[in-house]
Amino acid sequence: MRRIENAFVTLNGAVLVLGLAFMSVVVGWNVFARYALPSAPAWADEVARYSMIWLTFLGAGLALREGAHAAIANAQEALPSPAQRLVRILILLIMFGFFAYMVWVGIDYMNRMSVQKSAALRVPMKWVYAAMPVGFVLLMIHLALIAPRYLRAGFQYSDEAHVG
């Protein structure tokens, strides 16, 4: 199971690196074209914006693994051990519920935007909005993978909790 988790995290990270490299090339080309050529490509701003949206949602799960999202851990850590475990179970259930709800909302919103097309690329906007349900599904997978460690130790960063 640990090998599958490592492969999943590595693949998620590789997709982010490739996406960021792609977005950097597009933005760099656009800046160069604006100042050195007679005209810049009209599609570059859209590609950069939509890449950033996708990268944000694709990277949220990796940030969750590292405890990089905003959290208030002091109150939880001040409790006795059995109460900490109960609070952590409650937190996990709330997070799973919220992520599942956001997948549903994202799919609904994506379907509502299926007739709209982007201005420059003429791409159906549902593919841009698909980042939301995909990102929250990834968040659910990452949360399921780190849940056992979180129940034992919370979001404390350690070599044992760090996969990758």
Side-chain angles (χ1 to χ4, degrees):
M1 184 66 172
R2 190 80 159 173
R3 221 175 345 173
I4 293 170
E5 183 176 358
N6 285 337
F8 175 70
V9 170
T10 301
L11 179 63
N12 194 174
V15 168
L16 285 174
V17 168
L18 291 173
L20 187 58
F22 171 75
M23 187 179 78
S24 298
V25 168
V26 169
V27 169
W29 174 256
N30 193 27
V31 169
F32 171 78
R34 282 187 185 194
Y35 295 105
L37 301 176
S39 67
W43 52 266
D45 288 333
E46 271 189 16
V47 169
R49 184 179 318 116
Y50 300 153
S51 296
M52 180 63 75
I53 291 167
W54 269 93
L55 290 170
T56 299
F57 279 104
L58 294 177
L62 291 175
L64 177 72
R65 296 184 74 81
E66 300 296 328
H69 292 285
I72 302 172
N74 292 347
Q76 179 189 154
E77 291 167 1
L79 298 171
S81 267
Q84 281 185 16
R85 186 169 174 79
L86 187 63
V87 168
R88 288 181 184 144
I89 289 170
L90 183 63
I91 289 169
L92 286 172
L93 290 174
I94 290 169
M95 289 175 73
F96 273 117
F98 176 72
F99 294 165
Y101 175 72
M102 293 308 292
V103 169
W104 178 76
V105 167
I107 290 170
D108 181 52
Y109 198 66
M110 184 182 86
N111 290 332
R112 289 177 192 230
M113 296 295 123
S114 63
V115 296
Q116 183 182 1
K117 294 191 187 278
S118 68
L121 295 171
R122 305 304 299 158
V123 173
M125 289 301 289
K126 76 177 188 177
W127 298 115
V128 175
Y129 292 112
M132 185 176 170
V134 169
F136 278 102
V137 165
L138 286 174
L139 274 162
M140 290 174 73
I141 294 169
H142 281 289
L143 186 60
L145 291 171
I146 65 170
R149 288 187 295 271
Y150 173 66
L151 285 174
R152 282 194 307 271
F155 281 129
Q156 298 171 1
Y157 182 81
S158 71
D159 289 337
E160 192 258 334
H162 180 67
V163 178

